[in-house]
Amino acid sequence: MSAFVTNGFAADSEAGTVAESTPLPLQTSAGHVEGYMTLPLGDEVFDATFVADKTGRDYGKVLILPDQDGSIDSYDLVHTLRMRLAESGWSTMTVALSYPYQPQLLLSPNANDEEPAAQIETTAEAEVGESATTSDDNAGRVAAAVAYLNAQQPGPTVIIAMGKSAELSATAIAQVGKDNALIWISPEWQAETAPEAQYVLDITLSDSAYEETTTVQQRAVMMRKNVAQYSQRQIPGATSNFNGFEQPVFNLIRNWLHKSFAQGATS
């Protein structure tokens, strides 16, 4: 477990200029996505991207884990962060993750028909097995990505986990060494133990009672676990996936990383 630098807790808001954005479908072939590459995992390969720092500052590396509705170059936060951070002194990487399919199940209108119940039970069992398989596969993909980044350059490693990928972040951050940071973006997962991170930034929404409750609970867990270098921020007005709020999120992350790492490197 890494030692945490005492700096108090923050739970403030930070806004910025809203940039309009229209989500576009992923182009998953080399030549359409800057930095497109594949990484090996066993006998197979999976899609990824890598964009080296474009400034020559080489502050460190950022691994971006997309949510279940995202991809290696989703034209939303993923694209914005991987390209803009590379223009701000950080090398960036994204990896394709696999999430279990969740079908819509409809009950038969005939109350005496027992077949739908049997189908639901069988489907539920299949989903449990699929979920375990994809979880193991995703963990392997993240480990391969971390190993690749570690081989590229020295310096801090930052994990940015969005939505459901937050569950992978605790294992991932333990693989990158002590000079690291973890950023959650609207995490659909609540930590039960403190992550092995030097710094933790938790970016949340505030558009529902559920989100607000989860936000409070997450902060309480971090406080109980004495994660001193933990900050929780909300983006005012942001809705699901932060569509249209990519620029404020980028500004927040860039400035937070600069204070945590780059400022010391350039002083």
Side-chain angles (χ1 to χ4, degrees), residues 64 77 181:
I64 302 170
L77 268 179

Side-chain angles (χ1 to χ4, degrees), residues 87-98:
E87 296 167 356
S88 302
W90 297 85
S91 296
T92 66
M93 187 170 203
T94 63
V95 293
L97 299 177
S98 176

Side-chain angles (χ1 to χ4, degrees), residues 137-186:
D137 182 59
N138 284 338
R141 295 184 183 196
V142 171
V146 168
Y148 180 87
L149 283 176
N150 286 340
Q152 294 307 300
Q153 66 184 71
T157 302
V158 181
I159 306 292
I160 299 180
M162 304 179 179
K164 290 187 178 298
S165 71
E167 188 171 359
L168 296 166
S169 64
T171 301
I173 202 66
Q175 300 171 345
V176 301
K178 294 182 178 181
D179 197 11
N180 64 46
L182 174 60
I183 300 174
W184 289 319
I185 299 181
S186 191

Side-chain angles (χ1 to χ4, degrees), residues 194-207:
E196 296 185 33
Q198 185 178 3
Y199 306 99
V200 180
L201 174 62
D202 189 1
I203 303 175
T204 68
L205 297 167
S206 58
D207 60 349

Side-chain angles (χ1 to χ4, degrees), residues 222-236:
M222 295 297 104
M223 293 180 70
R224 285 199 304 271
K225 300 299 180 180
N226 295 319
V227 184
Q229 198 67 359
Y230 171 79
S231 296
Q232 191 176 87
R233 309 287 179 87
Q234 292 183 348
I235 304 295

Side-chain angles (χ1 to χ4, degrees), residues 97-115:
L97 299 177
S98 176
Y99 293 95
Y101 173 65
Q102 296 180 342
Q104 296 288 335
L105 298 177
L106 300 177
L107 294 177
S108 168
N110 183 354
N112 296 323
D113 188 353
E114 297 182 358
E115 184 178 0

